[in-house]
């Protein structure tokens, strides 16, 4: 099981408290994690990545194991600690404002 | 016992304000969708307990929420607004071609007759329709593919389709308005569209009387006379007596004819309301006095309505979707401000009270009259 940390607004939308856990078949990539997340919580479709293009929304970032994973390829394997559930895959809303 | 439900969209959530028919004591529920921009909330005329809310965010994009119990609980429905076919380009602010891109839903308009049908006006300007209660959306692309589409240009607030009006006497006829393209009409249920802007004059355009390019802020009609339209344009208050085929100015004695909302009294089709705003560079009421202006003659002759409204040091704005009327025997008028106040008049505008004073900036106000 992969642990995913969502920003507060998306936790509210998905009606969850705290981290969520999703089963990811096969190689654990960013695309696979997001596919599994959106299958389990379909109300999140379009909020993290665009419909159609599946591109990351501009003000959303992905972090894990102390690294910014936002610019890694969609199909690159995520760090082993995320893949075995020891560390969360973090979806982060960019800090913006005055 | 009759009552009203006022649906308020703000920069940081939605609020539902309810009162009985006396409209004196109000219950405020919310914020719903706290922290999100709620551009518009509107109920179905067929099933008043069915309400749609456009929920949007620069971070997380667009959501559409639906309530089937009068706003007590909500479920997200479809949020995929895919343009039909090649999107092509429209004009950017500097006149260069710019690709069409979905940004947000400005306005939701439930069908007058079909409980599962609802329309959505979006930025970049296009009209969508759902026939399954908002679960899936299809573009009525005859509008965007009208020959003038590549010449449309955004207004300062974006290239938004902000007004959708269904003709209650003719299900094939509908009007929409786009900033800054103008007003369009369909007579075949949304398949084909034509611009209906003859008579509008916009000095900022190279050709002030061009077929498209006008910054229409809002249009309104009375259900008993669907061929009579009223328009608050960027500058000028306009009227059409022939379903938009031609327009003439009815700004008359208004202190300024800039503004955003316009609405029609529920029982008096010649009684209309606007909120004059000083100018497009100073988005607040003239002289710091918040005044609704009422015309009982369908325009030209206007009276200021001030009782209960702040008459000094008031520098709020009233946005295009932030005025509505109820249909109780004594027509109620409602509007919200960018200062977070929602004002109500239970006597056709003669006197006003604030229902709430300290909401986030108000983007939209709609009213449901409940029996």
């Amino acid at each position: 099981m992969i642990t995913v940390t969502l920003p507060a607004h998306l936790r509210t939308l998905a009606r969850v408290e705290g981290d969520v856990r999703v089963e990811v078949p096969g190689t654990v990539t960013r695309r696979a994690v997001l596919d599994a997340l959106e299958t389990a919580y379909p109300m999140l479709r379009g909020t993290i990545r665009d419909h159609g293009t599946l591109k990351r929304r501009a003000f959303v970032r992905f972090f894990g194991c102390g690294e910014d994973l936002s610019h890694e390829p969609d199909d690159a394997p995520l760090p082993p600690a995320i893949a075995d559930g020891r560390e969360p895959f973090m979806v982060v809303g960019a800090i913006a404002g005055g | 016992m009759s009552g009203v439900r006022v649906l308020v969209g703000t920069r940081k959530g939605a609020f539902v304000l309810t009162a009985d028919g006396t409209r004196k004591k109000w219950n405020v529920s919310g914020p719903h969708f706290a922290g999100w921009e709620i551009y518009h909330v509107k109920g179905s005329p067929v099933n008043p307990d069915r309400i749609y809310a456009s929920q949007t965010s620069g971070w997380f994009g667009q959501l559409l929420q639906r309530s089937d119990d009068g706003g007590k609980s909500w479920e997200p429905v479809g949020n995929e607004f895919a343009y039909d076919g090649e999107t092509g380009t429209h004009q950017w602010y500097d006149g260069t071609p710019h690709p069409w891109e979905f940004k947000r839903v400005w306005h939701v308009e439930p069908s007058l007759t079909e409980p599962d049908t609802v329309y959505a006006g979006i930025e970049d300007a296009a009209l969508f329709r759902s026939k399954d209660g908002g679960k899936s959306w299809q573009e009525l692309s005859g509008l965007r593919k009208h020959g003038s589409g590549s010449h449309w240009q955004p207004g300062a607030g974006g290239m938004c389709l902000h007004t959708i009006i269904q003709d209650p006497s003719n299900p094939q006829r509908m009007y929409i308005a786009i900033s800054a393209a103008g007003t369009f009409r369909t007579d075949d249920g949304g398949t084909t569209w034509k611009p209906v802007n003859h008579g509008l004059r916009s000095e900022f355009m190279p050709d002030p009387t061009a077929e498209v390019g006008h910054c229409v802020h809002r249009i309104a009609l009375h259900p008993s006379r669907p061929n009579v339209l009223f328009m608050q344009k960027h500058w000028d208050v306009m009227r059409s007596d022939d379903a938009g085929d031609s327009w003439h100015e009815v700004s008359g004695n208004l202190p300024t004819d800039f503004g955003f909302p316009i609405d029609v009294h529920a029982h008096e089709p010649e009684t209309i309301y606007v909120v004059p705003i000083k100018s497009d560079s100073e988005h607040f009421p003239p002289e710091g006095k918040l005044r609704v202006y009422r015309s009982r003659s369908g325009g030209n002759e206007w009276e200021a309505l001030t009782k209960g409204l702040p008459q000094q040091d008031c520098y709020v704005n009233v946005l295009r979707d932030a005025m509505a009327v109820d249909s109780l025997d004594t027509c109620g008028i409602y509007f919200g401000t960018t200062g977070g106040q929602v004002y109500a008049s239970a006597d056709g505008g003669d006197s006003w009270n604030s229902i709430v004073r300290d909401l986030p900036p108000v983007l939209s106000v709609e009213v449901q009259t409940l029996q």
Side-chain angles (χ1 to χ4, degrees):
Chain A
M1 296 286 273
I2 306 300
T3 301
V4 180
T5 301
L6 294 171
H9 280 313
L10 298 189
R11 288 200 302 271
T12 302
L13 178 64
R15 296 178 182 165
V16 297
E17 294 181 5
D19 292 345
V20 300
R21 292 173 66 78
V22 292
E23 192 76 55
V24 178
T27 305
V28 177
T29 65
R30 191 171 75 205
R31 186 194 305 276
V33 170
L34 293 175
D35 285 349
L37 180 70
E38 291 176 356
T39 299
Y41 302 96
M43 68 284 280
L44 296 179
R45 288 180 183 149
T47 64
I48 297 170
R49 49 186 185 172
D50 288 335
H51 287 291
T53 66
L54 298 182
K55 283 176 61 177
R56 173 177 57 86
R57 291 188 53 78
F59 292 160
V60 171
R61 309 287 289 197
F62 304 120
F63 288 93
C65 300
E67 293 179 57
D68 182 354
L69 307 171
S70 305
H71 300 291
E72 297 297 315
D74 282 339
D75 294 317
L78 290 171
I82 293 176
D84 64 21
R86 283 178 289 134
E87 289 287 333
F89 177 78
M90 302 172 74
V91 179
V92 178
I95 304 298
Chain B
M1 181 67 179
S2 62
V4 292
R5 186 157 58 210
V6 181
L7 308 171
V8 182
T10 79
R11 287 270 179 224
K12 293 292 178 184
F15 296 83
V16 179
L17 322 176
T18 49
D20 65 23
T22 64
R23 293 161 288 185
K24 288 180 178 167
K25 188 175 178 185
W26 291 88
N27 177 63
V28 178
S29 136
H32 303 276
F33 325 116
W36 292 67
E37 289 188 296
I38 306 299
Y39 265 62
H40 195 215
V41 189
K42 190 157 189 179
S44 162
V46 186
N47 172 11
D49 278 344
R50 172 164 286 188
I51 301 172
Y52 297 92
S54 170
Q55 174 184 3
T56 186
S57 151
W59 285 263
F60 306 117
Q62 179 69 47
L63 291 159
L64 244 295
Q65 298 274 356
R66 192 183 84 198
S67 173
D68 287 317
D69 57 9
K72 296 185 185 74
S73 66
W74 298 85
E75 288 290 335
V77 286
N79 65 344
E80 183 168 8
F81 293 86
Y83 292 109
D84 174 34
E86 278 295 312
T87 50
T89 60
H90 60 78
Q91 286 194 39
W92 195 232
Y93 292 99
D94 60 2
T96 57
H98 191 81
W100 233 280
E101 295 170 329
F102 172 81
K103 296 187 178 66
R104 60 178 59 83
V105 174
W106 277 67
H107 187 96
V108 287
E109 192 67 34
S111 163
L112 297 176
T113 54
E114 302 291 334
D116 285 334
T117 297
V118 55
Y119 299 90
I122 73 163
E123 176 190 356
D124 289 337
L127 180 65
F128 280 72
R129 179 174 61 197
S130 169
K131 291 184 170 181
D132 56 9
K135 291 178 188 163
S136 63
W137 296 89
Q138 296 79 39
E139 185 188 7
L140 296 173
S141 58
L143 171 64
R144 187 172 49 81
K145 292 174 180 172
H146 174 270
S148 64
S150 61
H151 300 292
W152 299 353
Q153 199 166 21
M159 200 173 80
C160 53
L161 193 161
H162 50 71
T163 300
I164 303 168
I165 298 179
Q166 302 160 83
D167 184 331
S169 67
N170 177 0
Q172 296 301 304
R173 175 169 283 183
M174 188 162 30
Y175 305 88
I176 63 91
I178 296 168
S179 292
T183 304
F184 294 77
R185 190 183 78 206
T186 178
D187 292 317
D188 57 11
T191 304
T192 62
W193 296 78
K194 71 172 190 175
V196 284
N197 301 304
H198 182 71
L200 305 186
R201 184 174 182 84
S202 300
E203 298 297 342
F204 64 82
M205 292 161 48
D207 173 3
T209 60
E211 185 180 49
V212 298
H214 301 276
C215 192
V216 175
H217 282 182
R218 188 73 174 160
I219 53 177
L221 62 70
H222 190 276
S224 71
R225 294 200 305 185
N227 284 345
V228 180
L229 298 171
F230 299 99
M231 172 192 295
Q232 173 69 67
K233 194 163 67 66
H234 190 89
W235 295 99
D236 303 334
V237 178
M238 307 294 293
R239 172 182 178 132
S240 170
D241 291 292
D242 52 13
D245 285 338
S246 64
W247 296 86
H248 59 279
E249 187 174 0
V250 292
S251 305
N253 62 331
L254 287 170
T256 159
D257 58 16
F258 185 89
F260 290 95
I262 188 165
D263 219 329
V264 187
H265 189 287
H267 312 302
E268 301 170 12
E270 287 290 301
T271 298
I272 56 177
Y273 301 85
V274 294
V275 184
I277 294 296
K278 186 174 178 184
S279 72
D280 50 5
S281 56
E282 295 177 84
H283 276 190
F284 43 70
E287 304 170 57
K289 299 176 179 178
L290 182 55
R291 293 168 291 188
V292 175
Y293 274 72
R294 177 174 63 196
S295 171
R296 293 186 184 278
S297 54
N300 285 324
E301 298 168 21
W302 299 87
E303 58 178 323
L305 308 174
T306 62
K307 189 177 177 185
L309 298 176
Q311 294 305 296
Q312 62 180 12
D313 304 329
C314 181
Y315 293 94
V316 298
N317 195 1
V318 179
L319 300 180
R320 70 187 85 229
D321 240 344
M323 177 180 263
V325 302
D326 71 33
S327 57
L328 293 174
D329 288 345
T330 55
C331 175
I333 321 293
Y334 306 81
F335 70 93
T337 77
T338 56
Q341 301 88 34
V342 178
Y343 291 100
S345 168
D347 52 16
D350 290 337
S351 63
W352 299 84
N353 285 295
S354 61
I355 303 176
V356 284
R357 296 201 57 84
D358 298 304
L359 298 184
V362 173
L363 301 176
S364 65
V365 173
E366 294 287 353
V367 185
Q368 296 179 286
T369 306
L370 306 173
Q371 301 303 323

